[in-house]
Amino acid sequence: MGRGETDRRPDGQDDSAANASGADAADLPCALPTHGDAHLSEGIPTKDGYARSTGTVHALTLMIDFPDTPGEGTARQRFAEFFPQTSRWFSRGSYGRLDYRPATPIRHWLRMPRPFTAYGIDRGSPYEPGYQRLLKDIVAAADKRVDFGRYDLVNVLVTPNAGPPAAHTVLSVTFADNDHAPRADGVRLSNVSFVYSRQDDGTGTLRETGYRVLPHENNHSFGLPDLYTASGADRAGHWDLMSEDWGANNDILGWHKWKLGWLGARQVACATESPDATARAGISRHTLTPLARPGGTKVVFLPVSRRGGYAMEARTRGGNDAAVCRPGVLIYWVDVHKDSGQGPVTVMDSTRGTGPRRPHRPDGAAPPPNGPTTSRSATAPGTASTSDTPHQQPPSPHHPHTHHHRGTARPWSAPTAGAQGCTRLPNVHAGLSDATFTPGQTFTDNRHGVRVSITVTDRTRGGDYAIRITRRGAAS
């Protein structure tokens, strides 16, 4: 299982070729490839070993239970908690470039031979030995009725009464690009997601939002990292499903759409072709169309170093974004050297005191004399060093991507007086909810011997945003 391992499809078609426009976009000169030991990073293009993220994707979906925890309700009811919502989420987010098709060749609970407790699964459990044993048992129980070679990835929907409630501990996990996975029907089961108890925050929105843990997990199989850190979602807020998958529906960042091949070459604009060109003085102007709307330029990227740069995109309420309370231009730093869970994306906050203390050097180098600043209703960020932000350790090479949700999810309670940001929606990071830049605001930064200013100059009647990027040498 994985890219290029099989071109056999249940409908008989051959869709193994990469999406042409997505591949072209990955070849743009400002794309930053992964460097170093990061297993699951923001680098473009995505490394081999992950599931395809364009064209028709066939997802084998199995509902399992155990002798000590029989299935709660029917297996079809469990399946209906996630579909067709998950397929629709991917269709909207990819502008139709990803046709996600779940398959359930076994429509009843698939009983495991051992009790759930025998697998020793807990929050943070590595692949070996518990998950390795469980996956082998799944293959043994299903192999007579399932041709594993016909699918691109595997979803295992565990009966929700196995393990603790998600509001106390989230067990859902994905093992992506897993070279240690067993083989079945000629393919390695290298991209498998396990989903456990329901993500119910007690607000009565489970039916509308509880499914979103599955597209989050599947995005790992497609090669996307977690954006939250050990301290929570204070780096990227609710601007990406890989940061927060509880609460109101949300999309993923334009950078991630680029990485997944959902944007064509004409939908990504390079402010400069390389970090070397950034050091040369110049001005570029661009028009961004809202991410929620098909067509037009979705991402402008300004590479600042070989490991990162600034991405810009227009975010409005629509499409998969239900929680946008301040439409505008989102500006964020992308670091292709950081691994999943280490904060590879940092959103720049345009408003006073409502966001995280941003690292003054996202690349971890010594601080410049003047950190990033913003003007007009936007203040200079703090000067916290990168060591002030706790990081998760990178995944062990012996346990390919073991995805762990941040902390413990809380059933929602009403915001207290003085809540920051522009949202009062439950389980939406308030501090960064108003991070977007609006016409008249400028983000300014000094690093690598160059001064960079990003100004939102206008919003058209059609809802597009005009931006101006100015680069000056340090002595200017």
Side-chain angles (χ1 to χ4, degrees):
M1 180 173 297
R3 293 181 176 176
E5 288 198 42
T6 178
D7 58 3
R8 290 181 295 148
R9 306 265 62 88
D11 53 10
Q13 67 179 350
D14 177 358
D15 58 7
S16 59
N19 178 278
S21 57
D24 290 344
D27 291 336
L28 288 171
C30 61
L32 296 180
T34 298
H35 289 286
D37 298 328
H39 175 72
L40 200 59
S41 82
E42 295 290 358
I44 295 176
T46 300
K47 294 179 178 179
D48 291 335
Y50 298 98
R52 72 174 75 232
S53 53
T54 59
T56 301
V57 169
H58 297 275
L60 173 62
T61 304
L62 300 171
M63 290 70 73
I64 70 170
D65 68 355
F66 306 87
D68 58 340
T69 50
E72 185 176 274
T74 69
R76 294 303 294 172
Q77 288 171 332
R78 180 63 165 157
F79 177 82
E81 293 179 24
F82 301 94
F83 297 99
Q85 304 95 306
T86 295
S87 298
R88 291 171 179 166
W89 188 93
F90 279 116
S91 179
R92 283 192 301 266
S94 69
Y95 316 109
R97 291 177 183 265
L98 173 56
D99 178 15
Y100 184 105
R101 301 186 186 182
T104 54
I106 300 175
R107 300 197 170 198
H108 56 75
W109 290 111
L110 185 66
R111 176 62 56 87
M112 294 296 98
R114 314 169 209 251
F116 177 70
T117 53
Y119 296 97
I121 290 172
D122 199 353
R123 176 177 169 80
S125 293
Y127 177 68
E128 301 170 349
Y131 277 104
Q132 184 182 55
R133 185 181 303 127
L134 177 57
L135 192 53
K136 287 182 177 180
D137 285 347
I138 290 172
V139 170
D143 203 21
K144 290 183 179 180
R145 288 167 287 180
V146 175
D147 180 356
F148 287 91
R150 296 163 67 89
Y151 304 99
D152 299 292
L153 56 86
V154 179
N155 298 321
V156 179
L157 305 182
V158 181
T159 179
N161 54 331
H168 295 283
T169 301
V170 177
L171 297 184
S172 296
V173 62
T174 289
F175 295 92
D177 186 22
N178 184 0
D179 292 335
H180 299 270
R183 299 182 69 88
D185 299 315
V187 298
R188 189 175 299 282
L189 306 184
S190 53
N191 292 290
V192 182
S193 297
F194 294 84
V195 174
Y196 290 86
S197 59
R198 300 181 179 99
Q199 291 197 173
D200 189 356
D201 60 9
T203 62
T205 61
L206 176 64
R207 191 176 186 86
E208 293 77 32
T209 67
Y211 76 93
R212 297 187 315 111
V213 61
L214 186 56
H216 174 110
E217 296 299 341
N218 286 164
N219 277 330
H220 288 310
S221 289
F222 296 145
L224 297 188
D226 284 319
L227 299 188
Y228 59 80
T229 66
S231 61
D234 60 350
R235 291 294 189 95
H238 207 70
W239 296 105
D240 195 297
L241 183 74
M242 307 312 291
S243 175
E244 286 188 328
D245 60 8
W246 288 67
N249 196 17
N250 54 350
D251 209 334
I252 57 175
L253 296 168
W255 178 274
H256 281 165
K257 292 174 187 271
W258 180 12
K259 181 174 171 66
L260 293 178
W262 296 354
L263 301 179
R266 294 183 180 180
Q267 294 183 284
V268 179
C270 298
T272 63
E273 293 187 354
S274 71
D276 297 332
T278 303
R280 298 194 292 268
I283 296 176
S284 63
R285 292 178 173 84
H286 311 270
T287 299
L288 289 163
T289 61
L291 204 65
R293 197 174 74 210
T297 300
K298 299 302 179 193
V299 176
V300 176
F301 185 61
L302 176 68
V304 174
S305 72
R306 297 294 175 182
R307 71 177 292 166
Y310 287 108
M312 294 139 265
E313 63 192 52
R315 298 296 285 267
T316 58
R317 184 174 296 188
N320 283 332
D321 269 330
V324 176
C325 52
R326 178 183 161 98
V329 175
L330 194 69
I331 302 173
Y332 52 97
W333 175 268
V334 180
D335 189 326
V336 298
H337 283 215
K338 288 187 175 180
D339 215 323
S340 181
Q342 294 183 339
V345 168
T346 302
V347 168
M348 302 294 110
D349 193 353
S350 70
T351 57
R352 184 189 305 255
T354 63
R357 291 195 302 160
R358 295 194 297 274
H360 49 267
R361 281 300 289 267
D363 57 8
N370 299 301
T373 61
T374 57
S375 62
R376 186 175 171 184
S377 302
T379 60
T383 55
S385 69
T386 53
S387 61
D388 290 336
T389 303
H391 296 313
Q392 296 176 351
Q393 292 299 314
S396 164
H398 302 294
H399 309 298
H401 181 54
T402 50
H403 155 60
H404 311 305
H405 275 275
R406 56 175 171 81
T408 299
R410 301 98 41 216
W412 178 69
S413 58
T416 57
Q420 297 174 324
C422 60
T423 186
R424 290 177 61 84
L425 291 173
N427 286 311
V428 175
H429 190 281
L432 285 173
S433 62
D434 54 358
T436 49
F437 288 72
T438 57
Q441 286 190 297
T442 296
F443 172 81
T444 302
D445 193 11
N446 296 287
R447 62 189 67 237
H448 300 283
V450 63
R451 177 182 175 87
V452 173
S453 295
I454 303 167
T455 301
V456 181
T457 58
D458 190 21
R459 181 179 183 271
T460 68
R461 289 183 179 181
D464 301 339
Y465 288 85
I467 62 173
R468 182 180 68 246
I469 302 173
T470 305
R471 309 181 311 278
R472 296 187 178 90
S476 299

